[in-house]
Amino acid sequence: MKKSVLIIGAGIGGLSTAVRLLSKGYDVKVYEKEKNIGGKTNQLVNYPYTFDLTASILMNRQIYEEVFRESNLDYKNYIEFIQVDPVYRCFYADGSLINLNRDLVLLIKNLESISKEDAIGYIKFLSDVYERYIIANEHFLNNTFEEPIDFFKPSTLVNALKTKSLSSSYDLISKYIKDERLQKFLLYQSLYVGISPYEGPSIYSLVPVVSQLYGIYHIKGGMYYYVKALEKAISDLGGEIRTDSPVDEILIFDNKAIGIISKDKEINGDIVISNADFPYTMDELIKDNSHKGKYIKEKIEKMKYTCSTFILYLGLKKKYPELNVHNVYILR
Ligand SMILES: Cc1cc2nc3c(=O)[nH]c(=O)nc-3n(C[C@H](O)[C@H](O)[C@H](O)COP(=O)(O)OP(=O)(O)OC[C@H]3O[C@@H](n4cnc5c(N)ncnc54)[C@H](O)[C@@H]3O)c2cc1C
């Protein structure tokens, strides 16, 4: 008999997990508390405008394809990727702009117009961080560190040192780049995760490098089409998504999750997966302290959260040809 999986939350995480497990022969049901699926990756439609609410572009396109490929589905039947070029267009307070193009010839021309020294510095920066990315990919990014001891294996530590990611982004970037505008463009990336580039580890320098070397894409129709594509794949593979179905509790017996309670109904499953935020899951969905490990209420309340963003969704009557898909305004 098929093993049953109950997934709490129909965000991109819950939906892609559902697709992968369905293709491996599990019986999967996704429970979403909202009326629509997608979680943070959602859409605001206000005719004639349609906005992606959060995610609008993506890096590491192969990860998005992989969900389909590993489930024996052809992603081309579900989504279409469109390359973003320039990868970034940066506007500055003094009225200048820098285009970081995909095309190396154009890129070098743009960088040389800043200075030959910065052009050389940028290429060296790409090459150095690329090397770290290859090490990080092999030893960290695709590994699950299930126990702390896994991280402290000698081979892992040696490779962690090779990535030299413990110094700050500023220390790393200022070694290669002298132009303040180019520096600021490379530095702002760690703000995505709410970390100061002057204090946080330089690991976030991977973001502009991976974007530059592997490209940035958007999805035809907007990022919400990826959510719709996952929904279709779940239906094609025989899974089920229940919206308007909040989960109130994860049932645990003998140290094992055995089901959920949703709308006062007990639903049993062999495996329970929570796609909801981790602190919320521990605090709200697991009721008994003895099953929370160290994540009891007091610990959750003491956790520090990084800040998010302030977003305006503007429907414009006029076209602004100087704007591209991925624009960054650095005004200080
Ligand atoms: C401002 C902003 C901009 C971003 N831009 C980008 C970008 O350009 N590119 C990019 O790749 N990423 C971007 N992201 C990140 C991306 O949006 C998120 O990483 C992604 O949407 C998270 O998906 P998730 O499935 O992990 O979580 P979520 O989307 O949070 O999904 C969790 C789901 O669980 C549901 N849920 C919670 N509790 C319960 C319950 N008790 N019962 C049932 N259901 C429940 C929620 O309703 C939700 O649907 C951005 C994020 C923000 C905030």
Side-chain angles (χ1 to χ4, degrees), residues 181-227:
R181 292 171 311 151
L182 202 50
Q183 273 185 1
K184 282 185 178 165
F185 153 66
L186 293 169
L187 287 172
Y188 99 93
Q189 312 274 348
S190 68
L191 299 178
Y192 277 134
V193 285
I195 286 179
S196 161
Y198 299 98
E199 291 164 21
S202 63
I203 190 80
Y204 296 101
S205 308
L206 289 180
V207 177
V209 174
V210 172
S211 312
Q212 182 77 67
L213 299 181
Y214 293 89
I216 282 191
Y217 294 83
H218 61 111
I219 287 176
K220 191 169 178 190
M223 197 71 179
Y224 198 62
Y225 267 65
Y226 192 69
V227 170

Side-chain angles (χ1 to χ4, degrees), residues 86-103:
V87 181
Y88 295 88
R89 174 167 286 170
C90 295
F91 295 85
Y92 296 91
D94 63 3
S96 62
L97 66 85
I98 302 178
N99 279 322
L100 282 306
N101 289 87
R102 286 174 64 92
D103 181 295

Side-chain angles (χ1 to χ4, degrees), residues 60-95:
N60 270 339
R61 167 183 163 168
Q62 68 277 11
I63 290 174
Y64 293 77
E65 291 175 13
E66 195 183 270
V67 177
F68 292 88
R69 208 172 21 251
E70 291 191 355
S71 308
N72 298 320
L73 299 169
D74 185 351
Y75 77 86
K76 292 190 193 106
N77 294 333
Y78 293 85
I79 32 164
E80 192 181 321
F81 292 101
I82 303 171
Q83 274 182 7
V84 173
D85 189 26
V87 181
Y88 295 88
R89 174 167 286 170
C90 295
F91 295 85
Y92 296 91
D94 63 3

Side-chain angles (χ1 to χ4, degrees), residues 8-14 31-34 38-41 54-58 64 223 245-247 275-277 280 285 308-309 311:
I8 305 164
I12 278 199
Y31 292 82
E32 170 54 52
K33 72 177 162 70
E34 301 295 336
K40 292 186 191 83
T41 300
T54 61
S56 52
I57 46 163
L58 57 97
Y64 293 77
M223 197 71 179
S245 301
V247 171
N275 172 222
D277 290 343
Y280 162 83
L285 302 186
S308 188
T309 47
I311 307 181

Side-chain angles (χ1 to χ4, degrees), residues 80-134:
E80 192 181 321
F81 292 101
I82 303 171
Q83 274 182 7
V84 173
D85 189 26
V87 181
Y88 295 88
R89 174 167 286 170
C90 295
F91 295 85
Y92 296 91
D94 63 3
S96 62
L97 66 85
I98 302 178
N99 279 322
L100 282 306
N101 289 87
R102 286 174 64 92
D103 181 295
L104 195 53
V105 177
L106 263 178
L107 176 70
I108 287 294
K109 190 171 159 228
N110 297 340
L111 294 171
E112 282 180 350
S113 72
I114 301 170
S115 80
K116 290 226 166 52
E117 193 191 4
D118 283 304
I120 295 168
Y122 190 78
I123 300 298
K124 281 191 177 159
F125 169 74
L126 287 183
S127 151
D128 185 7
V129 179
Y130 173 63
E131 201 177 333
R132 296 172 192 208
Y133 173 69
I134 297 291

Side-chain angles (χ1 to χ4, degrees), residues 1 35 60 68 218 223 227-228 233 254 258 265 292 298 306 312 325:
M1 208 170 100
K35 288 193 168 48
N60 270 339
F68 292 88
H218 61 111
M223 197 71 179
V227 170
K228 300 302 279 176
D254 218 6
I258 54 154
K265 247 183 75 189
K292 291 176 194 255
E298 292 71 27
T306 54
L312 293 170
V325 175

